[in-house]
Amino acid sequence: MRKMLLATTAIAFGLSAAAPAFAEFNDRNIRVSNGINEDHPVGNGIKAMQACLDEKSGGKLKLTAFWGGALGGDLQATQALRSGVQEAVVTSSSPLVGIIPALGVFDLPFLFASPEEAYQVLDGEFGDMMSQKLEEAGLVNLGYWENGFRNLSNSVRPVTKWEDFEGMKVRVMQNDIFLDTFQNLGANATPMAFGEVFSALETNAIDAQENPYVTIDTSKFYEVQKYVTETNHAYTPFLFLFSKAIFDTYTPEEQAALRECATVGRDEERKVIQDLNKKSLEKIKEAGLEVNVLSEEEQARIREKSMVVYEKHKATIGADVVDGILAKLEEIRK
C-alpha cells in the first residue's frame, strides 16, 4: 500500500511539474499558405514541424496548411501577413522583391555552386541580415527552406560552355534579372506563362526552358526536349514567413518553439527535395535525354561573364547585400 501511495504521489508530482512547461502555450491555429501542392517536399517539412510543435507545446500549436494557393498567391498571402490578418506563408523569394528589393540577390545568376554552399550562406550571418530586412517589413523569417537549383533543358544542342546559349530561344520567368542573365549569354530570352511552356516546346516556338529537375520531370518536358544541362544557374530559397504583428503577441515559449520546429521542418524538407531531385534526374535520363554537367571551370567562367548582371542590379538590390554575399562566398571558397 505504501509503495502504491509513493507511486501515485510520484505520478502526481510528475504531472504537476510538467504542467508549467505547457502553461506558457495557448491553443493556436496557425494558417500556413503555400503556392505548391501537398505532395511537394514542403508537405514533408510541415509534417515534421508539426510533430516537433506537438512535442513542445503539448499539441496546443497547430499548423493548418492551405495548398495550391488556396489563400491566394504568394505575394497576396505575404501582404496578408504584413497586415496581421494571416499567420504564415511558405513562399519563394522571387515574388517578394517588390516589397524587399534585397531579396533580388537570390535571383542573381550562378551565385551558389552547390546546395551546401547555399546552406552555409543562408543559415549563417548573411541569412540573419536578410531576416532583419524582412522583419523591418513586418515579416518574421522562421527559416530558409529549399526551392532548389534551376537547370536548362533544350532541343538544340548540349550546353557545355556559355557560347552554346547563342541564339537559343529560352523561356524564362517574367523577371528582369532572369531576362538579363540569358540575354547576356547570347540567348533569346522569352517570358512566358508556365502553362504555355510544354506546347511552345512541342511546336518549337521556343527551344529551351529552365526549371528544377523535379519540375522538368513532373511537367514531362523530357517528352519534348533532347538535352538537359546541370547549369545550377539560379538557387531560390523558400522562406517560412510569419506575421510579425501576430508573432509579437505570442509568448516567448511559443516563439522559441516555432523557430526551433521550423528548423526541424527545414532540415526534413531539404533532405526530401534533394532525394526527389536525384530520382527526377534518373527519370529524365531513362527517358533518353542527353544529360551533362557544366564543369567547375565553366561555372567560374560563366559567373565571371555574369558579373555585368550583378552590377546592373546592384543599386536596386543594395550594394551592401550584393557585396556582402560575394564576400561570404569568396571566404567559403578559399
Side-chain angles (χ1 to χ4, degrees):
M1 183 71 181
R2 187 168 178 276
K3 282 184 181 177
M4 213 169 143
L5 280 169
L6 285 170
T8 307
T9 304
I11 291 168
F13 177 78
L15 287 172
S16 64
F22 297 134
E24 302 304 326
F25 289 90
N26 299 289
D27 289 314
R28 300 196 188 275
N29 178 36
I30 299 164
R31 294 162 297 169
V32 185
S33 176
N34 298 268
I36 68 279
N37 295 325
E38 190 172 1
D39 58 359
H40 187 280
V42 166
N44 301 80
I46 293 287
K47 285 175 187 172
M49 183 175 174
Q50 182 63 69
C52 174
L53 287 172
D54 286 344
E55 185 180 335
K56 288 186 179 296
S57 72
K60 290 188 173 183
L61 298 183
K62 289 290 183 189
L63 303 175
T64 302
F66 292 83
W67 305 97
L71 295 182
D74 288 343
L75 181 57
Q76 183 183 346
T78 302
Q79 294 290 27
L81 265 61
R82 298 179 76 203
S83 302
V85 295
Q86 183 181 314
E87 290 81 9
V89 64
V90 179
T91 173
S92 173
S93 56
S94 299
L96 309 187
V97 294
I99 303 172
I100 303 110
L103 289 175
V105 72
F106 298 124
D107 291 332
L108 290 172
F110 304 95
L111 184 64
F112 299 119
S114 67
E116 292 71 29
E117 199 173 82
Y119 301 159
Q120 277 187 269
V121 172
L122 296 172
D123 301 340
E125 289 178 10
F126 183 85
D128 291 343
M129 180 189 78
M130 296 298 288
S131 293
Q132 183 57 43
K133 290 181 183 293
L134 285 156
E135 195 151 329
E136 288 164 8
L139 302 162
V140 176
N141 182 24
L142 297 183
Y144 297 92
W145 291 25
E146 184 153 37
N147 193 356
F149 277 109
R150 300 175 77 88
N151 295 297
L152 183 84
S153 73
N154 83 91
S155 57
V156 181
R157 56 182 167 267
V159 173
T160 60
K161 56 189 183 300
W162 73 255
E163 288 86 352
D164 294 330
F165 284 97
E166 186 65 41
M168 200 178 281
K169 291 176 286 185
V170 184
R171 179 268 174 181
V172 297
M173 293 187 293
Q174 183 62 60
N175 175 304
D176 289 344
I177 295 177
F178 274 67
L179 283 164
D180 289 342
T181 294
F182 284 94
Q183 285 168 353
N184 178 55
L185 295 172
N188 179 4
T190 308
M192 182 183 293
F194 183 77
E196 300 170 14
V197 175
F198 186 93
S199 60
L201 290 169
E202 190 173 33
T203 59
N204 295 316
I206 55 173
D207 303 313
Q209 66 82 46
E210 47 83 42
N211 264 296
Y213 284 139
V214 173
T215 305
I216 294 172
D217 169 21
T218 56
S219 301
K220 294 183 166 47
F221 290 149
Y222 54 76
E223 293 181 359
V224 287
Q225 299 276 259
K226 296 177 183 176
Y227 309 99
V228 167
T229 302
E230 188 166 293
T231 48
N232 284 353
H233 58 268
Y235 177 98
T236 49
F238 278 129
L239 309 174
F240 197 116
L241 300 178
F242 213 96
S243 166
K244 187 174 188 302
I246 297 174
F247 194 77
D248 287 348
T249 68
Y250 286 10
T251 67
E253 290 76 12
E254 290 169 337
Q255 292 179 354
L258 283 166
R259 289 187 187 277
E260 290 168 28
C261 293
T263 300
V264 170
R266 176 202 72 191
D267 292 346
E268 177 66 13
E269 191 263 355
R270 284 178 178 175
K271 175 181 172 294
V272 173
I273 204 166
Q274 289 292 330
D275 291 344
L276 201 55
N277 266 318
K278 288 173 188 170
K279 289 175 185 173
S280 290
L281 179 56
E282 286 309 309
K283 282 179 69 176
I284 290 165
K285 288 178 178 176
E286 286 167 12
L289 274 70
E290 186 178 322
V291 178
N292 72 288
V293 179
L294 281 182
S295 67
E296 285 185 24
E297 294 77 15
E298 191 56 32
Q299 280 272 4
R301 189 168 168 257
I302 294 181
R303 191 177 295 114
E304 184 62 34
K305 180 168 176 58
S306 299
M307 283 299 120
V308 294
V309 179
Y310 285 57
E311 288 301 321
K312 181 176 179 180
H313 294 276
K314 183 185 275 192
T316 303
I317 295 169
D320 61 323
V321 176
V322 175
D323 292 340
I325 201 166
L326 290 176
K328 183 62 183 175
L329 287 167
E330 187 178 349
E331 179 189 318
I332 289 169
R333 290 167 186 159
K334 279 181 181 175

